[in-house]
Amino acid sequence: MKLKLAIIFGILIWFLTHFITSLFNPIFNNNLPYVNILLPIILIIITAFFGILYIRNIYENEVIEGIIAGIVFIIIYAILDSIFFFIPNARLIFPYYHLNITSMAIITLLVTTFLGYLAQMKIDLK
């Protein structure tokens, strides 16, 4: 387990997810006011990118490493959300935050576990 690398990637995932979502949020909120698909799509893309960077240098127990990396990413995400959103405001910023954090945890665990599973496969492309 490369804990330092997982923590750095967790911080980058949190920062890039919120930064890119804040850039594209006005476009999607004006055109699709009742659909919040932007955060899950950005989270899947960014988590997959950093998950690949994390898993590619691991050569044994890739599925377990993927699960552990996903758990570290979730913990970092929750800690940074609480530091930057809850503690300064002392209230929930998003009305459906519990749904947001639950879906983020499920998506992150699925993506990193699937990447670990793919990393252990021997693929021969001819």
Side-chain angles (χ1 to χ4, degrees):
M1 172 82 206
K2 300 176 182 179
L3 186 61
K4 184 177 178 180
L5 186 64
I7 290 172
I8 290 170
F9 284 168
I11 292 169
L12 287 172
I13 288 171
W14 180 85
F15 176 74
L16 289 174
T17 301
H18 285 286
F19 179 72
I20 294 172
T21 302
S22 66
L23 286 178
F24 289 113
N25 210 15
I27 297 168
F28 279 86
N29 280 346
N30 292 338
N31 296 328
L32 301 168
Y34 300 109
V35 179
N36 190 7
I37 195 72
L38 185 63
L39 182 66
I41 289 173
I42 290 172
L43 183 67
I44 289 170
I45 293 168
I46 292 173
T47 304
F49 176 75
F50 285 108
I52 289 170
L53 291 178
Y54 179 80
I55 294 285
R56 72 179 178 175
N57 294 326
I58 296 173
Y59 300 107
E60 57 186 33
N61 297 329
E62 291 93 348
V63 176
I64 303 298
E65 287 288 334
I67 292 170
I68 293 171
I71 291 170
V72 170
F73 293 165
I74 292 167
I75 291 170
I76 296 298
Y77 195 96
I79 289 170
L80 290 176
D81 263 1
S82 64
I83 289 172
F84 287 101
F85 293 127
F86 295 144
I87 293 173
N89 297 322
R91 64 182 173 87
L92 287 174
I93 298 296
F94 308 112
Y96 300 107
Y97 180 73
H98 301 293
L99 179 64
N100 178 25
I101 197 74
T102 304
S103 65
M104 185 281 308
I106 291 170
I107 289 170
T108 302
L109 273 177
L110 285 175
V111 167
T112 56
T113 305
F114 185 65
L115 287 173
Y117 175 72
L118 289 177
Q120 77 177 3
M121 295 176 64
K122 302 294 182 201
I123 299 173
D124 185 21
L125 298 175
K126 295 182 180 183

